[in-house]
Amino acid sequence: MARKTPAVERTLVEFGESIRSWRSIRGLPGAVVAERAGISRDTLRSIESGKGTASLAAVVAVMEALGISSSMTNAVEPLNTEIGRNRAALINRKRVRAHAIR
């Protein structure tokens, strides 16, 4: 497992709080989100508390269950950033996707 620096720990906690907030906004109990994501309630608690022990697949499944998985993929898409667009040739992209242009 990767070493958890203070910055990583802080990000995990903030991410977990955001997931919990989305669940609250959607009005969904943890048991429902866990069931829809195909994970245990304990795994959902782990994600929401920022422990950093859940698999990426579990995190993505929870985000899908909450209807926010596209936000995550958009957030990490290099072509959605100025530096990514400027250096697109370095990632072997032939064109900028239409959704990346703003």
Side-chain angles (χ1 to χ4, degrees), residues 38-71:
I39 62 171
S40 70
R41 182 70 177 102
D42 285 340
T43 299
L44 180 60
R45 279 191 205 102
S46 172
I47 293 168
E48 290 184 349
S49 67
K51 288 184 181 171
T53 56
S55 71
L56 179 58
V59 172
V60 172
V62 167
M63 294 180 75
E64 184 68 28
L66 294 171
I68 59 171
S69 62
S70 63
S71 298

mmCIF file of all heavy atoms in Angstrom, residues 38-71:
data_model
loop_
_atom_site.group_PDB
_atom_site.id
_atom_site.type_symbol
_atom_site.label_atom_id
_atom_site.label_comp_id
_atom_site.label_asym_id
_atom_site.label_seq_id
_atom_site.Cartn_x
_atom_site.Cartn_y
_atom_site.Cartn_z
ATOM 1 N N GLY A 38 -22.746 -2.716 -5.222
ATOM 2 C CA GLY A 38 -22.266 -4.093 -5.113
ATOM 3 C C GLY A 38 -21.132 -4.253 -4.120
ATOM 4 O O GLY A 38 -20.241 -5.087 -4.309
ATOM 5 N N ILE A 39 -21.153 -3.425 -3.072
ATOM 6 C CA ILE A 39 -20.118 -3.483 -2.036
ATOM 7 C C ILE A 39 -20.783 -3.625 -0.681
ATOM 8 O O ILE A 39 -21.997 -3.449 -0.551
ATOM 9 C CB ILE A 39 -19.223 -2.220 -2.049
ATOM 10 C CG1 ILE A 39 -20.056 -0.959 -1.756
ATOM 11 C CG2 ILE A 39 -18.485 -2.090 -3.389
ATOM 12 C CD1 ILE A 39 -19.235 0.293 -1.531
ATOM 13 N N SER A 40 -19.984 -3.905 0.335
ATOM 14 C CA SER A 40 -20.532 -4.003 1.685
ATOM 15 C C SER A 40 -20.722 -2.610 2.276
ATOM 16 O O SER A 40 -20.114 -1.629 1.834
ATOM 17 C CB SER A 40 -19.592 -4.813 2.583
ATOM 18 O OG SER A 40 -18.408 -4.077 2.843
ATOM 19 N N ARG A 41 -21.563 -2.548 3.285
ATOM 20 C CA ARG A 41 -21.775 -1.278 3.991
ATOM 21 C C ARG A 41 -20.472 -0.834 4.660
ATOM 22 O O ARG A 41 -20.164 0.348 4.716
ATOM 23 C CB ARG A 41 -22.911 -1.474 5.021
ATOM 24 C CG ARG A 41 -23.268 -0.228 5.796
ATOM 25 C CD ARG A 41 -23.965 0.799 4.909
ATOM 26 N NE ARG A 41 -24.337 1.946 5.710
ATOM 27 C CZ ARG A 41 -23.665 3.104 5.720
ATOM 28 N NH1 ARG A 41 -22.601 3.269 4.964
ATOM 29 N NH2 ARG A 41 -24.050 4.099 6.483
ATOM 30 N N ASP A 42 -19.668 -1.803 5.130
ATOM 31 C CA ASP A 42 -18.374 -1.460 5.733
ATOM 32 C C ASP A 42 -17.427 -0.814 4.727
ATOM 33 O O ASP A 42 -16.690 0.110 5.072
ATOM 34 C CB ASP A 42 -17.719 -2.702 6.339
ATOM 35 C CG ASP A 42 -18.368 -3.129 7.645
ATOM 36 O OD1 ASP A 42 -19.057 -2.302 8.282
ATOM 37 O OD2 ASP A 42 -18.182 -4.305 8.028
ATOM 38 N N THR A 43 -17.453 -1.285 3.489
ATOM 39 C CA THR A 43 -16.606 -0.680 2.454
ATOM 40 C C THR A 43 -17.056 0.744 2.179
ATOM 41 O O THR A 43 -16.226 1.650 2.038
ATOM 42 C CB THR A 43 -16.621 -1.526 1.165
ATOM 43 O OG1 THR A 43 -16.115 -2.824 1.468
ATOM 44 C CG2 THR A 43 -15.779 -0.885 0.067
ATOM 45 N N LEU A 44 -18.363 0.969 2.133
ATOM 46 C CA LEU A 44 -18.861 2.335 1.942
ATOM 47 C C LEU A 44 -18.430 3.223 3.104
ATOM 48 O O LEU A 44 -17.996 4.357 2.892
ATOM 49 C CB LEU A 44 -20.389 2.354 1.790
ATOM 50 C CG LEU A 44 -21.000 3.736 1.583
ATOM 51 C CD1 LEU A 44 -20.458 4.411 0.325
ATOM 52 C CD2 LEU A 44 -22.515 3.646 1.539
ATOM 53 N N ARG A 45 -18.524 2.714 4.315
ATOM 54 C CA ARG A 45 -18.066 3.482 5.490
ATOM 55 C C ARG A 45 -16.583 3.826 5.367
ATOM 56 O O ARG A 45 -16.161 4.933 5.714
ATOM 57 C CB ARG A 45 -18.306 2.692 6.775
ATOM 58 C CG ARG A 45 -19.698 2.780 7.286
ATOM 59 C CD ARG A 45 -19.797 2.189 8.710
ATOM 60 N NE ARG A 45 -21.152 1.741 8.927
ATOM 61 C CZ ARG A 45 -21.563 0.475 8.871
ATOM 62 N NH1 ARG A 45 -20.712 -0.494 8.651
ATOM 63 N NH2 ARG A 45 -22.823 0.172 9.070
ATOM 64 N N SER A 46 -15.811 2.872 4.878
ATOM 65 C CA SER A 46 -14.377 3.101 4.697
ATOM 66 C C SER A 46 -14.123 4.230 3.702
ATOM 67 O O SER A 46 -13.264 5.087 3.920
ATOM 68 C CB SER A 46 -13.714 1.806 4.219
ATOM 69 O OG SER A 46 -12.380 2.028 3.871
ATOM 70 N N ILE A 47 -14.869 4.229 2.610
ATOM 71 C CA ILE A 47 -14.732 5.293 1.602
ATOM 72 C C ILE A 47 -15.135 6.635 2.198
ATOM 73 O O ILE A 47 -14.412 7.628 2.074
ATOM 74 C CB ILE A 47 -15.579 4.965 0.350
ATOM 75 C CG1 ILE A 47 -15.005 3.733 -0.367
ATOM 76 C CG2 ILE A 47 -15.637 6.171 -0.603
ATOM 77 C CD1 ILE A 47 -15.919 3.162 -1.434
ATOM 78 N N GLU A 48 -16.274 6.666 2.866
ATOM 79 C CA GLU A 48 -16.789 7.923 3.408
ATOM 80 C C GLU A 48 -15.944 8.469 4.560
ATOM 81 O O GLU A 48 -15.938 9.675 4.802
ATOM 82 C CB GLU A 48 -18.239 7.753 3.857
ATOM 83 C CG GLU A 48 -19.195 7.586 2.688
ATOM 84 C CD GLU A 48 -20.649 7.511 3.121
ATOM 85 O OE1 GLU A 48 -20.935 7.385 4.331
ATOM 86 O OE2 GLU A 48 -21.515 7.584 2.223
ATOM 87 N N SER A 49 -15.227 7.596 5.243
ATOM 88 C CA SER A 49 -14.391 8.065 6.354
ATOM 89 C C SER A 49 -12.976 8.420 5.900
ATOM 90 O O SER A 49 -12.189 8.946 6.686
ATOM 91 C CB SER A 49 -14.331 7.006 7.459
ATOM 92 O OG SER A 49 -13.643 5.861 7.009
ATOM 93 N N GLY A 50 -12.649 8.126 4.635
ATOM 94 C CA GLY A 50 -11.344 8.489 4.105
ATOM 95 C C GLY A 50 -10.219 7.575 4.534
ATOM 96 O O GLY A 50 -9.066 7.990 4.567
ATOM 97 N N LYS A 51 -10.520 6.333 4.845
ATOM 98 C CA LYS A 51 -9.475 5.399 5.281
ATOM 99 C C LYS A 51 -8.488 5.069 4.166
ATOM 100 O O LYS A 51 -7.343 4.757 4.439
ATOM 101 C CB LYS A 51 -10.095 4.110 5.819
ATOM 102 C CG LYS A 51 -10.768 4.310 7.154
ATOM 103 C CD LYS A 51 -11.285 3.000 7.695
ATOM 104 C CE LYS A 51 -11.971 3.259 9.031
ATOM 105 N NZ LYS A 51 -12.671 2.077 9.507
ATOM 106 N N GLY A 52 -8.938 5.076 2.930
ATOM 107 C CA GLY A 52 -8.044 4.792 1.818
ATOM 108 C C GLY A 52 -7.781 3.315 1.601
ATOM 109 O O GLY A 52 -6.807 2.954 0.945
ATOM 110 N N THR A 53 -8.641 2.468 2.134
ATOM 111 C CA THR A 53 -8.425 1.023 1.998
ATOM 112 C C THR A 53 -9.313 0.387 0.928
ATOM 113 O O THR A 53 -9.072 -0.753 0.549
ATOM 114 C CB THR A 53 -8.679 0.321 3.339
ATOM 115 O OG1 THR A 53 -9.999 0.644 3.792
ATOM 116 C CG2 THR A 53 -7.664 0.753 4.380
ATOM 117 N N ALA A 54 -10.312 1.097 0.461
ATOM 118 C CA ALA A 54 -11.222 0.549 -0.555
ATOM 119 C C ALA A 54 -10.537 0.525 -1.914
ATOM 120 O O ALA A 54 -9.688 1.365 -2.220
ATOM 121 C CB ALA A 54 -12.492 1.380 -0.631
ATOM 122 N N SER A 55 -10.926 -0.429 -2.742
ATOM 123 C CA SER A 55 -10.362 -0.505 -4.089
ATOM 124 C C SER A 55 -10.897 0.631 -4.952
ATOM 125 O O SER A 55 -11.975 1.187 -4.685
ATOM 126 C CB SER A 55 -10.723 -1.845 -4.733
ATOM 127 O OG SER A 55 -12.098 -1.891 -5.045
ATOM 128 N N LEU A 56 -10.168 0.939 -5.991
ATOM 129 C CA LEU A 56 -10.628 1.953 -6.932
ATOM 130 C C LEU A 56 -11.943 1.511 -7.566
ATOM 131 O O LEU A 56 -12.834 2.335 -7.789
ATOM 132 C CB LEU A 56 -9.568 2.213 -8.003
ATOM 133 C CG LEU A 56 -9.914 3.238 -9.066
ATOM 134 C CD1 LEU A 56 -10.237 4.596 -8.439
ATOM 135 C CD2 LEU A 56 -8.772 3.377 -10.059
ATOM 136 N N ALA A 57 -12.083 0.211 -7.830
ATOM 137 C CA ALA A 57 -13.324 -0.306 -8.413
ATOM 138 C C ALA A 57 -14.508 -0.025 -7.483
ATOM 139 O O ALA A 57 -15.596 0.346 -7.954
ATOM 140 C CB ALA A 57 -13.209 -1.802 -8.685
ATOM 141 N N ALA A 58 -14.314 -0.173 -6.183
ATOM 142 C CA ALA A 58 -15.389 0.096 -5.226
ATOM 143 C C ALA A 58 -15.737 1.582 -5.221
ATOM 144 O O ALA A 58 -16.911 1.953 -5.186
ATOM 145 C CB ALA A 58 -14.990 -0.372 -3.824
ATOM 146 N N VAL A 59 -14.729 2.431 -5.271
ATOM 147 C CA VAL A 59 -14.960 3.881 -5.289
ATOM 148 C C VAL A 59 -15.743 4.277 -6.541
ATOM 149 O O VAL A 59 -16.724 5.032 -6.465
ATOM 150 C CB VAL A 59 -13.627 4.656 -5.200
ATOM 151 C CG1 VAL A 59 -13.849 6.151 -5.414
ATOM 152 C CG2 VAL A 59 -12.950 4.404 -3.861
ATOM 153 N N VAL A 60 -15.337 3.754 -7.684
ATOM 154 C CA VAL A 60 -16.029 4.076 -8.932
ATOM 155 C C VAL A 60 -17.459 3.540 -8.893
ATOM 156 O O VAL A 60 -18.396 4.219 -9.345
ATOM 157 C CB VAL A 60 -15.251 3.536 -10.152
ATOM 158 C CG1 VAL A 60 -16.059 3.686 -11.431
ATOM 159 C CG2 VAL A 60 -13.916 4.254 -10.278
ATOM 160 N N ALA A 61 -17.663 2.363 -8.340
ATOM 161 C CA ALA A 61 -19.013 1.797 -8.237
ATOM 162 C C ALA A 61 -19.905 2.677 -7.378
ATOM 163 O O ALA A 61 -21.085 2.894 -7.702
ATOM 164 C CB ALA A 61 -18.951 0.376 -7.669
ATOM 165 N N VAL A 62 -19.377 3.212 -6.297
ATOM 166 C CA VAL A 62 -20.155 4.118 -5.445
ATOM 167 C C VAL A 62 -20.488 5.389 -6.215
ATOM 168 O O VAL A 62 -21.628 5.873 -6.183
ATOM 169 C CB VAL A 62 -19.397 4.451 -4.139
ATOM 170 C CG1 VAL A 62 -20.040 5.615 -3.405
ATOM 171 C CG2 VAL A 62 -19.331 3.215 -3.238
ATOM 172 N N MET A 63 -19.510 5.935 -6.923
ATOM 173 C CA MET A 63 -19.763 7.149 -7.695
ATOM 174 C C MET A 63 -20.802 6.894 -8.779
ATOM 175 O O MET A 63 -21.645 7.754 -9.049
ATOM 176 C CB MET A 63 -18.458 7.688 -8.265
ATOM 177 C CG MET A 63 -17.510 8.159 -7.165
ATOM 178 S SD MET A 63 -15.971 8.812 -7.785
ATOM 179 C CE MET A 63 -16.531 10.409 -8.388
ATOM 180 N N GLU A 64 -20.767 5.718 -9.389
ATOM 181 C CA GLU A 64 -21.774 5.350 -10.389
ATOM 182 C C GLU A 64 -23.151 5.254 -9.729
ATOM 183 O O GLU A 64 -24.142 5.749 -10.274
ATOM 184 C CB GLU A 64 -21.392 4.013 -11.042
ATOM 185 C CG GLU A 64 -22.305 3.592 -12.156
ATOM 186 C CD GLU A 64 -22.215 4.474 -13.392
ATOM 187 O OE1 GLU A 64 -21.158 5.071 -13.654
ATOM 188 O OE2 GLU A 64 -23.227 4.565 -14.107
ATOM 189 N N ALA A 65 -23.210 4.655 -8.554
ATOM 190 C CA ALA A 65 -24.481 4.523 -7.835
ATOM 191 C C ALA A 65 -25.056 5.887 -7.467
ATOM 192 O O ALA A 65 -26.274 6.054 -7.386
ATOM 193 C CB ALA A 65 -24.298 3.673 -6.577
ATOM 194 N N LEU A 66 -24.175 6.867 -7.265
ATOM 195 C CA LEU A 66 -24.610 8.218 -6.924
ATOM 196 C C LEU A 66 -24.833 9.089 -8.164
ATOM 197 O O LEU A 66 -25.273 10.230 -8.056
ATOM 198 C CB LEU A 66 -23.577 8.892 -6.011
ATOM 199 C CG LEU A 66 -23.423 8.277 -4.630
ATOM 200 C CD1 LEU A 66 -22.228 8.890 -3.906
ATOM 201 C CD2 LEU A 66 -24.706 8.451 -3.821
ATOM 202 N N GLY A 67 -24.498 8.567 -9.338
ATOM 203 C CA GLY A 67 -24.686 9.328 -10.576
ATOM 204 C C GLY A 67 -23.635 10.381 -10.821
ATOM 205 O O GLY A 67 -23.891 11.360 -11.520
ATOM 206 N N ILE A 68 -22.436 10.205 -10.267
ATOM 207 C CA ILE A 68 -21.392 11.222 -10.410
ATOM 208 C C ILE A 68 -20.090 10.678 -10.995
ATOM 209 O O ILE A 68 -19.076 11.359 -10.965
ATOM 210 C CB ILE A 68 -21.099 11.917 -9.056
ATOM 211 C CG1 ILE A 68 -20.655 10.909 -8.003
ATOM 212 C CG2 ILE A 68 -22.314 12.714 -8.593
ATOM 213 C CD1 ILE A 68 -20.142 11.543 -6.722
ATOM 214 N N SER A 69 -20.115 9.489 -11.555
ATOM 215 C CA SER A 69 -18.864 8.912 -12.064
ATOM 216 C C SER A 69 -18.280 9.711 -13.232
ATOM 217 O O SER A 69 -17.058 9.797 -13.380
ATOM 218 C CB SER A 69 -19.053 7.444 -12.458
ATOM 219 O OG SER A 69 -19.991 7.326 -13.491
ATOM 220 N N SER A 70 -19.125 10.316 -14.044
ATOM 221 C CA SER A 70 -18.594 11.106 -15.165
ATOM 222 C C SER A 70 -17.837 12.332 -14.665
ATOM 223 O O SER A 70 -16.891 12.784 -15.314
ATOM 224 C CB SER A 70 -19.705 11.523 -16.119
ATOM 225 O OG SER A 70 -20.628 12.366 -15.477
ATOM 226 N N SER A 71 -18.203 12.848 -13.502
ATOM 227 C CA SER A 71 -17.470 13.980 -12.932
ATOM 228 C C SER A 71 -16.029 13.598 -12.633
ATOM 229 O O SER A 71 -15.108 14.383 -12.839
ATOM 230 C CB SER A 71 -18.135 14.454 -11.643
ATOM 231 O OG SER A 71 -19.430 14.905 -11.895
#
